[in-house]
Amino acid sequence: MKRIARLFCSSLSLLLLLCGCSQPFTPEFGEMSARYANLLEQYQINMIFHNIIRAAHTRPLSFLDIPNINGSGSVELTPSVSGLFNGGGLPANAYGLNILGGLSTLTPSAGIAVGKSFNFSQSSLDNAVFWKGFLSDLPPETIKYFVHNHLPKELIFSLVVDEIQIQSPDDSIRSYVNNPMLDSHPQFQEQMYQLIRDGLTPQYVVASQKVGGVMTEAMLRKMYGDNYRQTLSRDHLDLIAVNTSGAKSFQIISTQPGFKLCLKNNRFANFDKDISRNDYCQVSPLSEDEVQVSSNRGTRLFLKMRSTSTIYTYLGEVVNAQLQDKPYMVSIPPVEKENDLDARNSNRYALLVVKQNAQLDRPFAYLNDVLEGDTYAIPSKDNGYSKLTIKTLTEFQTLQKIPGSVMPSPAVLIR
């Protein structure tokens, strides 16, 4: 019996040693996290693609988010040893019983069970806090985030510019609408490319605006005291000297830092020169300067920007244009290839490529639209700017997720 006990202990020690060398006792949380990240990425892509197709069919948009993620993992190790005696097979834990015969073999074994799971909840973004920003026109400071060397300007301005209006000196207005379902869409692109060549970009500028009329130094002292400059500066006001035939006079001005659309070329009467950057920036339509500009009979430019909501509408129109009987693909080649027919007639510079009822191998995005009875997919290859378009739209939409827009309590719990 002592021999059996020694064999049992040594076999069990060997078993535990082998198990410790061959199988870790901790779950692969890194693998779990990576797998979840991949699933979440595809979830976001398909949700945005689904809403583009909804927009194409003039259906209501709907958005979900995943505010809570909980992961769990466990490992259970069950070692055992079995022995074979010359009188028959009995478990080794029969030590202490009256066993006849001798020990023939002693076999260690182990059972390992690994459990890992994720619980996450989906919350609806269909609330007033989210939709207020979602429906608001994108301001220049938001567009500035996306206008840089790593994103084509042709792509950004195709997404965010809804309409270009050019007012002639005789007050007649030519309007160019960014809608690929209209026959005039090529004219919009022609105007957009010209603005890009003119250096259209949002710029940070400090605009000044006159406050009140011209005042003498005596008037300033009477109204603001002897330390009138310090008093004005506390209210973010400044003084500029004004040349007059009488006493030394000043004009109070307020400085308003912010972002405006600017051009490198001076082509429009409602764009003033910004001395600090040597650019021509759009005059605020509510400023006193705009009233003065209105008397200038030069050509004026007005740009109507989109909201994130109307970007979805536009991309729905892009899908409809390429799926109609006479397909029209929205192509946005670089400025230097604007008139290159080979570039415009290929998918290389397509804004968004969508295939309907097509069998694709591992598509970038896929939707089985049960309401329409069709399938839609974005191919993984030869898809132009499709991936970049989805990525940019994701970032525009993320900017609408301000505190309070994502409900803290889950709408649907998925396990």
Side-chain angles (χ1 to χ4, degrees), residues 30-45:
E31 179 185 349
M32 294 167 61
S33 179
R35 183 171 178 270
Y36 167 76
N38 292 335
L39 291 174
L40 181 59
E41 178 185 6
Q42 194 63 52
Y43 168 87
Q44 293 175 327
I45 292 172

Side-chain angles (χ1 to χ4, degrees), residues 131-139 159-160 162 304-314 393 396 400:
W131 277 88
K132 183 177 180 180
F134 190 75
L135 295 172
S136 300
D137 290 349
L138 295 170
L159 290 175
V160 303
D162 186 64
K304 178 175 175 51
M305 296 300 175
R306 290 195 173 105
S307 64
T308 309
S309 175
T310 50
I311 290 178
Y312 274 101
T313 302
Y314 167 67
L393 182 55
F396 277 128
Q400 316 304 323

Side-chain angles (χ1 to χ4, degrees), residues 113-396:
V114 179
K116 51 186 177 180
S117 64
F118 271 113
N119 295 332
F120 62 92
S121 58
Q122 285 185 320
S123 291
S124 174
L125 288 173
D126 295 333
N127 57 76
V129 177
F130 172 79
W131 277 88
K132 183 177 180 180
F134 190 75
L135 295 172
S136 300
D137 290 349
L138 295 170
E141 54 265 29
T142 297
I143 301 172
K144 176 62 178 176
Y145 296 150
F146 301 89
V147 180
H148 49 71
N149 294 330
H150 301 286
L151 284 177
K153 285 188 176 182
E154 300 84 8
L155 169 65
I156 297 302
F157 289 122
S158 291
L159 290 175
V160 303
V161 177
D162 186 64
E163 184 179 0
I164 299 173
Q165 290 185 345
I166 298 179
Q167 184 176 356
S168 300
D170 61 358
D171 290 337
S172 61
I173 297 177
R174 289 168 291 161
S175 181
Y176 305 91
V177 180
N178 187 8
N179 183 347
M181 296 297 291
L182 301 178
D183 294 336
S184 60
H185 185 256
Q187 284 72 47
F188 167 84
Q189 287 195 310
E190 181 181 349
Q191 294 297 326
M192 183 190 73
Y193 273 84
Q194 182 59 53
L195 291 176
I196 293 175
R197 283 193 292 271
D198 287 337
L200 177 66
T201 184
Q203 294 280 11
Y204 178 82
V205 297
V206 179
S208 60
Q209 185 174 357
K210 296 178 181 179
V211 178
V214 177
M215 303 178 68
T216 64
E217 188 171 8
M219 296 170 63
L220 289 171
R221 291 182 184 278
K222 181 178 179 180
M223 183 172 294
Y224 299 103
D226 292 336
N227 296 324
Y228 55 86
R229 288 189 179 274
Q230 290 82 350
T231 302
L232 291 172
S233 65
R234 286 198 293 266
D235 295 328
H236 305 286
L237 300 175
D238 201 357
L239 291 174
I240 57 173
V242 178
N243 294 326
T244 61
S245 57
K248 187 176 181 181
S249 302
F250 299 90
Q251 173 66 60
I252 301 176
I253 62 170
S254 66
T255 55
Q256 299 175 340
F259 285 86
K260 291 186 177 182
L261 293 174
C262 301
L263 297 169
K264 295 294 184 183
N265 297 329
N266 184 19
R267 294 205 301 126
F268 302 102
N270 60 330
F271 280 69
D272 274 355
K273 188 172 184 179
D274 177 26
I275 299 176
S276 62
R277 294 180 178 272
N278 202 26
D279 292 336
Y280 296 88
C281 297
Q282 191 174 32
V283 177
S284 173
L286 298 179
S287 70
E288 183 179 341
D289 293 334
E290 178 69 6
V291 178
Q292 298 173 359
V293 167
S294 63
S295 62
N296 188 336
R297 310 308 294 178
T299 303
R300 306 168 74 193
L301 170 69
F302 301 96
L303 297 176
K304 178 175 175 51
M305 296 300 175
R306 290 195 173 105
S307 64
T308 309
S309 175
T310 50
I311 290 178
Y312 274 101
T313 302
Y314 167 67
L315 292 177
E317 294 164 346
V318 171
V319 172
N320 287 332
Q322 63 185 277
L323 297 182
Q324 60 186 348
D325 294 336
K326 293 182 178 180
Y328 174 71
M329 182 71 72
V330 177
S331 184
I332 47 173
V335 170
E336 60 272 15
K337 296 185 178 182
E338 176 188 0
N339 298 317
D340 187 341
L341 295 180
D342 290 337
R344 283 198 170 275
N345 294 331
S346 70
N347 285 356
R348 181 179 180 183
Y349 300 111
L351 178 70
L352 181 67
V353 178
V354 175
K355 302 292 185 180
Q356 183 179 24
N357 297 327
Q359 297 295 326
L360 300 178
D361 182 30
R362 299 175 64 87
F364 173 69
Y366 178 83
L367 170 65
N368 182 12
D369 192 347
V370 295
L371 294 181
E372 301 293 334
D374 295 312
T375 61
Y376 301 89
I378 298 176
S380 295
K381 299 180 180 179
D382 194 27
N383 60 14
Y385 289 122
S386 297
K387 294 181 180 180
L388 192 54
T389 296
I390 296 295
K391 172 184 176 294
T392 305
L393 182 55
T394 302
E395 293 168 351
F396 277 128

